[in-house]
Each structure stands twice: as C-alpha cells, then as structure tokens.
Amino acid sequence: MNKIVDWVAKSYFKNQFEKYKRTASNPTIFQLEILLSLLQKAANTSFGQQHNFAAIRNYTDFCSQIPIRDYEDFLPYIEQMLVGNQNILWPKVNHFSRSSGTSSGRSKYLPVSSESLATSHVQTGKHYLASYLNLYPDSRFFYGKGIVLTGNYYENHKEGDAEIADVSMLLYAHTDSWIGFFKSVPMHVAVLEDWEEKLARIAEAAIPQNITNISGVPSWMLLLLRKVLEITGKKSIAEVWPDLTLITHGGVDFLPYKLQFESIIQKKITYRNVYNSSEGFFAFQEDEEDVLTFDFSNQIFYELENSKSGVVLLPLESKIGERYTLIVTTNSGLWRYRMGDQIEVLNTTPFRFKLVGRITLCINVAGEELIQANTDMALAICCEQMGCAATEYTVAPFFFENEKIACHQWAIEFEHPPSDISQFETKLDEILCTLNSDYAAKRTKDLALSCLTVFKIRKGTFIKWLAQNNRLGVQAKVPRLRADDSVLNEIRSIIAS
C-alpha cells in the first residue's frame, strides 16, 4: 500500500515541479501577467474604483496610481471588511489571519481570500514539496505522516461572521481534502487553545504513527520533540520515528537551533527553510544551499524597495549584495503592501535571496546598525565554538549614567549554558565585530560602545513573557532586537517574581 501511495504522490508532484520550473524560467513575464489579472479581478471593488484600476495598462501606470502602503494605511478598509462588508479591497473575503508575531506587539488582522489560500499558500506549498522531491526522489516522505504545528482560532468581536485564525490554522482547515490523509494531528487536537495541553496531545497522537516530516517555528518544534522524548523515555527522536526525513522551518533564522535539533534527533535528515506569512507563502529553499527563491507563479506580485535609496524595482532589476524591503500585491486585496521584512539579494538569475530581519528590528544607538542577521549568526557561531546551546534571546541597548557610552545587553535562555559567561561575552563581541564593520568601528577603544553584556535567564522565561503579552502560539516569536529596553525590563520582572 505504501509503495502505491508513494508512486501516485510522487507522480503528482513531479508534474507540479515541471509547472513551477516553466514559470521560474521567465518570471518577469509571468509576474506582469499576474499583476494585470489581479487588477482586472478587483477593478469593481471600492479600492479599485478609487484608484481607477480599469485605466491601468502597465506597470508604470500601476506605480503612478497606487502608492506603497503600510498596514495602518489599509486599516480603514480592513475595519470595513471585518464587520462583513464585501468588495472593499477584494471582491470577497471571509477569512482573516491574526498576526501577533509582529515587532510592534500589536495584532494585525490581514484579509485572506479563498483564492489566496488555494494559490498563494497551498499551491506554493506544493511547489516547495515538489522541489524537495526533485532533489530527493527516494525520500520516504509519503510512507508516513506529518506534523504541522498550527496556531489558533480567535473570536470575532466585530459584527461580521468572518473566520479569524492564525494563517497556519486556516491552511490546516482549508487544504485539499486528500492532504488530510498525510496529517497525523486530528482537528480536535489542532484547535486546542491551551498550548501546554496542545503540545502534549499532539505528541500523544503522533508517537504511535510513522512520522516522516515536521513543520513549524523552530522553538516550538523543539518543545514538541522534548515532550515526545519525555513521554516515550527514548534518548533520541530517531528511536521514536526512524523514517523522519524532513524538517521544514520558518519564522526565524534556523542556525541558532540547528545543533539542538541534531542533538535531539540523532540521525541525518534534511532541513528546509520557507518564507511563509499571513500575507502569503512567498518563497522557499529550492536546493541544498540555505537561500530562498520567490514562487513567481503564486498570484502574488513582488516589488523591492531599496533600503537606502528608496528606489522601487522588480526583483530581477535588483542588485546583488544590496538590501531591500519586500512589497507585495496579493489576491486578498493588499496593494503594494510594505511587508517590513528586509532581504539581501544574493543572485538575480536565478533569483536568490536571504532574509536579514525586520526593518524595525535594528539597534543603532551609536551608528552600529546591528540587525538580526548579525545577532543570529554571531550567537550560533559563539555557541558552537564554546560548546553550549541557546534556545531564545533578545537584545536591547543600555546607556551608562553619562549617556555618552552605551552597550548592548543580551538576555539569553540557554539549553546548555557556557561554563564561563565572561568568556562567552568576549567571544560573542569579537564575532559581532567580524560580522558587522560598523559595530567593530564603534567598539574601537570603547569610544562609542562598550563590550556587550549577557545575563542568563532560566528556562521557560520567554514562554512566560509570550503568555504575559497574549502572544502564546506557534506563530508567536520573541523580538530579537529592540531599540528600547521595554522587553528586557519585562523579562527582569518575570525573573524577579
């Protein structure tokens, strides 16, 4: 039976891969076709009439008639949609994704149309899996089932009857029916609101099954895997699920977590990176190198805004080595929406990039321009060199009494702490200097920045912080960098209580 299922599924995904590659061979043409199609479908919406979509004939018209917007600019339209009004940004929207993992801490309610679920989320998921199977044709992926760590449903406090949930839950509930054959977690468990109970019930449901793949945010997957070992009494995940072959991760940089996964799983498996958000499933890792590529066929139109000059370009017009803010136009009614995610272009033919963090997640108190990509990489290298492992962290500036000299304070939750925290601080500071020349310059002779400081916090503290801020869930993430010390102060309060 497994062989038949494997053959049928792989034949289907081979066809999906061929379709995906045809689009990838000439993305600009497909992208412009998608743009015109989106404009045509939304021409009679309130937004489409306000911006005269019917008169837009090309990309130049599009840029001149529709300005780039942030979430706050769309909020008046979204408020109308939440109470049940249709044909506002998109002809029909019955779902909203609540995003609570934003750097501001405020929840966003983002429209998710049925078309978006099918073409911008599920379809790109199929293209991602097809690219994986193309690289690993002998994978035993379909010989078992998968675990997807989903978010929650939320009550709609507005007058409308729209469905509000984390996007992962919307996808779990609305994917193709045949995909349900490969799910290990029943819906009545997936919808549980209590996260401690939910993880335990997921583990209990999955342990007796042959799990071949797991998807989710790294920190939550680690919690699940530790719960599995606790329940079974096994020393490794390989003993529980010998056919586990693929870990799909996203949401945060995986590098700080990789050693912990390898230690817990204790077998060679494949790790793959994806860029999936409430607004759409944008990109995934197509080959062995841990870089991302856009899915240019998923009914999303992509633009890039140069982080320094503000010039807006199509992806293939960008320059290698430069950083850009992602702007998307979607089939849920987000028109030239500034995501707030910053990418660095690594190649244009084929297009490849890496995420370097949120544009709001940066510390620049002395001109050091420290970004999340720097801190993620530095922490991973430092832990590897010093034989320790960190699970979560956050960084904020600290000003000394004269307020002329500052330093960066790191709060780190270790799975295995370093034996000498002072040596760890020195090593971490040195690594940051090699990764960020601006940071190195400001650290010279302690003229503008002093050496960073680290304080260890007990396990579970960041989970308590997420719960305290009503952000507990598999899509919730700890803010890595803050320009102020508000998060650090809240962490200290938790420790003191």
Side-chain angles (χ1 to χ4, degrees):
M1 180 63 177
N2 282 340
K3 288 184 178 180
I4 295 174
V5 171
D6 184 67
W7 181 83
V8 171
K10 285 180 177 176
S11 297
Y12 172 81
F13 280 99
K14 183 178 181 181
N15 183 54
Q16 288 289 319
F17 183 72
E18 290 170 354
K19 289 181 179 178
Y20 163 71
K21 292 305 287 185
R22 281 197 295 271
T23 305
S25 65
N26 202 340
T28 300
I29 290 178
F30 280 94
Q31 277 282 281
L32 293 175
E33 289 177 353
I34 287 170
L35 174 61
L36 294 176
S37 175
L38 293 173
L39 290 165
Q40 183 181 27
K41 290 176 181 177
N44 293 322
T45 63
S46 298
F47 191 89
Q49 291 177 343
Q50 289 170 10
H51 294 81
N52 199 13
F53 279 13
I56 297 177
R57 296 288 180 267
N58 51 47
Y59 178 58
T60 302
D61 292 345
F62 175 69
C63 293
S64 64
Q65 290 181 217
I66 304 175
I68 294 170
R69 285 175 164 87
D70 297 308
Y71 178 76
E72 288 72 18
D73 301 313
F74 279 104
L75 193 53
Y77 299 98
I78 292 173
E79 289 286 355
Q80 294 181 57
M81 298 163 72
L82 282 168
V83 298
N85 293 322
Q86 297 290 353
N87 217 34
I88 306 298
L89 292 170
W90 190 255
K92 187 175 182 179
V93 174
N94 289 327
H95 316 287
F96 288 83
S97 172
R98 195 184 88 165
S99 172
S100 59
T102 62
S103 56
S104 67
R106 290 183 293 109
S107 293
K108 294 181 180 180
Y109 294 88
L110 294 157
V112 181
S113 68
S114 296
E115 298 98 314
S116 174
L117 284 173
T119 61
S120 301
H121 287 280
V122 174
Q123 189 61 40
T124 298
K126 292 177 180 178
H127 291 164
Y128 158 65
L129 184 53
S131 70
Y132 161 75
L133 293 170
N134 180 65
L135 279 178
Y136 301 96
D138 297 326
S139 170
R140 293 178 63 83
F141 186 94
F142 296 110
Y143 276 74
K145 298 192 176 186
I147 300 173
V148 179
L149 292 180
T150 61
N152 284 28
Y153 279 108
Y154 302 101
E155 185 178 352
N156 186 350
H157 296 288
K158 305 293 184 178
E159 297 174 7
D161 58 358
E163 185 178 52
I164 298 177
D166 292 317
V167 70
S168 56
M169 176 52 72
L170 290 175
L171 286 168
Y172 206 72
H174 296 283
T175 50
D176 298 357
S177 57
W178 63 268
I179 295 177
F181 179 79
F182 298 101
K183 294 177 181 177
S184 66
V185 182
M187 183 59 73
H188 71 273
V189 173
V191 299
L192 290 173
E193 294 184 9
D194 184 288
W195 280 100
E196 189 171 351
E197 180 189 2
K198 186 172 183 173
L199 285 174
R201 295 283 296 278
I202 290 173
E204 290 166 358
I207 285 169
Q209 303 186 65
N210 184 29
I211 300 301
T212 63
N213 62 96
I214 306 174
S215 303
V217 174
S219 56
W220 290 98
M221 286 193 285
L222 281 173
L223 287 174
L224 174 66
L225 296 180
R226 292 188 182 110
K227 177 61 70 174
V228 168
L229 295 183
E230 176 188 323
I231 293 172
T232 61
K234 302 293 186 182
K235 294 183 178 180
S236 72
I237 293 298
E239 295 179 65
V240 184
W241 298 317
D243 277 342
L244 181 63
T245 185
L246 176 65
I247 294 286
T248 300
H249 56 87
V252 296
D253 193 308
F254 187 68
L255 192 58
Y257 300 95
K258 189 173 182 181
L259 287 176
Q260 294 176 69
F261 274 86
E262 291 173 344
S263 174
I264 289 175
I265 295 172
Q266 294 186 24
K267 65 168 285 192
K268 185 177 181 180
I269 65 169
T270 302
Y271 299 94
R272 280 290 180 274
N273 189 12
V274 297
Y275 180 13
N276 194 5
S277 70
S278 297
E279 294 86 350
F281 193 157
F282 300 137
F284 54 83
Q285 181 181 341
E286 189 177 308
D287 47 37
E288 294 290 353
E289 189 178 4
D290 186 11
V291 297
L292 296 165
T293 183
F294 285 125
D295 185 347
F296 288 110
S297 67
N298 65 351
Q299 300 305 304
I300 295 174
F301 183 72
Y302 300 99
E303 298 174 272
L304 301 178
E305 181 181 39
N306 190 284
S307 298
K308 291 185 177 180
S309 68
V311 174
V312 179
L313 304 167
L314 297 178
L316 269 63
E317 298 172 339
S318 61
K319 294 184 179 180
I320 295 172
E322 296 204 359
R323 291 176 179 168
Y324 298 85
T325 301
L326 178 62
I327 296 167
V328 296
T329 293
T330 76
N331 57 355
S332 288
L334 297 175
W335 303 94
R336 304 198 82 193
Y337 174 75
R338 184 184 281 113
M339 284 290 299
D341 292 327
Q342 193 176 61
I343 72 169
E344 181 179 330
V345 175
L346 303 176
N347 197 23
T348 55
T349 310
F351 190 81
R352 298 287 187 270
F353 69 94
K354 66 179 179 180
L355 281 168
V356 295
R358 302 281 295 175
I359 56 176
T360 53
L361 293 183
C362 175
I363 299 179
N364 194 30
V365 295
E368 69 273 33
E369 296 186 11
L370 189 73
I371 61 174
Q372 185 179 334
N374 301 150
T375 56
D376 282 345
M377 178 69 75
L379 183 59
I381 294 172
C382 191
C383 284
E384 184 174 12
Q385 290 183 1
M386 296 201 63
C388 54
T391 53
E392 294 289 355
Y393 77 93
T394 190
V395 188
F398 173 79
F399 291 92
F400 296 100
E401 289 184 6
N402 60 18
E403 295 191 358
K404 293 180 180 179
I405 303 295
C407 74
H408 294 172
Q409 289 195 328
W410 291 58
I412 305 178
E413 189 173 314
F414 289 98
E415 179 64 23
H416 304 294
S419 57
D420 186 331
I421 197 67
S422 296
Q423 186 180 353
F424 183 89
E425 289 173 336
T426 301
K427 176 64 70 174
L428 184 59
D429 192 69
E430 291 173 352
I431 294 169
L432 277 173
C433 287
T434 65
L435 295 175
N436 183 324
S437 58
D438 291 319
Y439 181 85
K442 304 307 179 290
R443 283 284 298 113
T444 303
K445 297 182 179 179
D446 290 350
L447 291 177
L449 279 178
S450 293
C451 182
L452 61 86
T453 61
V454 172
F455 68 93
K456 298 184 292 184
I457 59 177
R458 59 178 176 265
K459 292 181 183 179
T461 300
F462 279 112
I463 294 293
K464 290 181 180 178
W465 180 86
L466 289 169
Q468 181 176 291
N469 286 272
N470 196 29
R471 300 175 70 176
L472 200 59
V474 294
Q475 287 184 262
K477 300 178 285 289
V478 174
R480 298 304 198 201
L481 282 73
R482 291 282 297 191
D484 58 53
D485 59 0
S486 58
V487 172
L488 273 179
N489 286 337
E490 289 175 4
I491 293 292
R492 291 190 180 97
S493 296
I494 291 172
I495 294 171
S497 63

